[in-house]
Amino acid sequence: MTITADDGRAHGHADLPRLMGLMTGDEKHGPAATSTLDVLWVLYDRVLRITPDRADDPDRDRFLLSKGHGPMAYYAVLAARGFLPVEWLPGFGSYDSPLGHHPDRVLVPGAEIGSGSLGHGLPIAVGTALGLRAQGRHDPAVWVLIGDAELDEGSNHEAIAFAGPAGLERLHTVVIDNSSASHARPGGIAARFEAAGWSAASVDGRDHQALYDAFTAPHPGRPHVVVARVEPKTS
């Protein structure tokens, strides 16, 4: 799908490298950004029920970027989908730019949380799903994107252990697996979630159809995790 953003151009997935190329600087965290690009595009293009005109709708889906370091792909996708002006991208990381090296929810249209500190996003997503359920809002889905290295943080394992037995069916986690975690998981990442009662799938993180099928797989009564495997981090 392509859309026309506020710079008058139609932006689709093929245009994302150009949009990312507008962002320059020494602290780009390039591998962290590019590892998320396909997952972010499939979510925003085909899965998430959120648009710029309903960014404050209480019944919108929530997307939380926990992997907030190296947010270039996130900014590029938000620009392509019309959440923020393409003209903001060249100023990435500069003193007066709203597009910092970590996203700031106060400054970045469409951002649900400020992020970048490892291990925060999944616990916040659990709290968000609990809060929506307590309000009787059962339609909004909560999505959180984390990196495999974040699973070195104990806070995530507490969240994983809680969410399964709590039956947080509207909670969805995407783990970008670029082999950067310090500690191996017996049986793999998906098995860790399954042991806590989650529904789980592992797919090629560059295959858009495989990602879409995994994102939309039914998982009644359980939270759902998709492990998106990408090329190993080399720098």
Side-chain angles (χ1 to χ4, degrees), residues 19-20 22-25 27-28 68 70-80 83-111:
L19 295 178
M20 289 181 66
L22 296 175
M23 291 173 274
T24 60
E27 298 296 331
K28 291 174 63 172
M72 292 187 303
Y74 184 48
Y75 294 154
V77 170
L78 288 177
F83 286 87
L84 56 87
V86 171
E87 290 76 12
W88 286 9
L89 299 180
F92 164 73
S94 61
Y95 176 76
D96 57 352
S97 172
L99 306 182
H101 296 300
H102 291 179
D104 184 330
R105 66 174 299 274
V106 177
L107 300 177
V108 180

Side-chain angles (χ1 to χ4, degrees), residues 183-227:
H183 306 294
R185 304 289 160 200
I189 294 173
R192 169 65 187 91
F193 284 82
E194 288 175 321
W198 290 57
S199 167
S202 296
V203 298
D204 180 347
R206 301 304 188 189
D207 185 328
H208 288 199
Q209 189 59 48
L211 287 168
Y212 176 77
D213 291 344
F215 291 161
T216 57
H219 50 96
R222 296 191 290 168
H224 185 53
V225 63
V226 176
V227 180

